[in-house]
Amino acid sequence: MQPIILGSSSPYRSELLAKLQLPFTTSSPDIDESPLVGESPAQLVLRLAESKARKVAETNLSALVIGSDQVALLDNTVLGKPGSVERAVEQLKAASGKTVTFLTGLALYNAATQQMQSLVEPFEVQFRQLSEAQIRRYIELEQPLNCAGSFKSEGLGISLFNELRGSDPNTLIGLPLIKLTDMLATQGVEVLG
């Protein structure tokens, strides 16, 4: 079997990929993640996922390389990682009672054949009406300062939502495993094979 490399330094993506019980390593691609002029959020995450996979493949010429990137959108505005408690409070106040759409770019690059498969997988999160006290308590308990949208859905963040909408809950955390399983199968890697 070809080596599988996850082109990411995200511990969340690594934990997700481990669910498939395939041997893999990780490698953090060093790429410029700045959006291009006129680039839509969907175009951005697709380009970055593909770029991450290609970058890692430069030094792993026989590998299957997985790239992924994600943005969160609220009222067509990209929500980044807050980085501070006050910014996280602002993001969650803005999201209260609204729907946030996550777009996750996924790429699988076969370095040996130079074949790229890629897609953008959407996922929607409907937030409850949240008080500032609830928001501050959540941030204090979970410290989601390095998470786009200021929450961790795999933890206490689930209490912030009314509803989740999408075909794969793993997409919300950053790696659409259902689609990835299909992509791997086209490269001869059967998860249950």
Side-chain angles (χ1 to χ4, degrees):
M1 184 167 79
Q2 281 179 276
I4 298 171
I5 301 173
L6 175 61
S8 175
S9 59
S10 166
Y12 309 113
R13 286 192 179 104
S14 188
E15 286 174 22
L16 287 174
L17 185 54
K19 286 182 178 184
L20 298 184
Q21 298 186 23
L22 297 169
F24 72 95
T25 57
T26 61
S27 178
S28 182
D30 184 20
I31 65 166
D32 180 1
E33 296 192 21
S34 304
L36 302 176
V37 175
E39 189 173 44
S40 72
Q43 292 167 329
L44 172 68
V45 295
L46 187 64
R47 178 179 59 82
L48 292 179
E50 290 177 352
S51 295
K52 289 175 181 179
R54 281 195 178 98
K55 181 70 173 179
V56 170
E58 288 175 5
T59 53
N60 298 279
L61 302 177
S62 64
L64 290 172
V65 185
I66 300 161
S68 186
D69 197 77
Q70 185 178 66
V71 296
L73 299 170
L74 174 63
D75 300 328
N76 293 317
T77 300
V78 174
L79 299 176
K81 296 175 183 175
S84 73
V85 169
E86 287 312 309
R87 183 74 186 115
V89 169
E90 288 174 26
Q91 283 189 352
L92 291 174
K93 276 183 174 178
S96 177
K98 294 184 179 173
T99 298
V100 174
T101 301
F102 285 79
L103 299 177
T104 303
L106 174 65
L108 180 65
Y109 185 64
N110 186 330
T113 63
Q114 298 183 351
Q115 180 184 5
M116 176 71 75
Q117 299 174 71
S118 59
L119 56 82
V120 175
E121 182 80 0
F123 199 91
E124 292 183 342
V125 175
Q126 174 64 48
F127 277 80
R128 299 177 189 277
Q129 287 291 340
L130 302 168
S131 69
E132 184 165 343
Q134 290 172 316
I135 289 169
R136 288 191 180 277
R137 179 72 176 141
Y138 169 71
I139 293 167
E140 174 190 331
L141 291 171
E142 192 133 84
Q143 296 291 310
L145 306 183
N146 67 340
C147 300
S150 303
F151 67 86
K152 296 178 187 177
S153 64
E154 65 277 23
L156 184 60
I158 199 73
S159 66
L160 304 174
F161 315 137
N162 276 333
E163 184 179 1
L164 303 175
R165 293 185 293 271
S167 62
D168 182 347
N170 299 296
T171 301
L172 183 56
I173 305 169
L175 195 63
L177 293 181
I178 293 172
K179 300 288 189 193
L180 180 58
T181 298
D182 294 340
M183 289 177 170
L184 288 166
T186 69
Q187 300 302 311
V189 178
E190 292 292 339
V191 172
L192 296 175

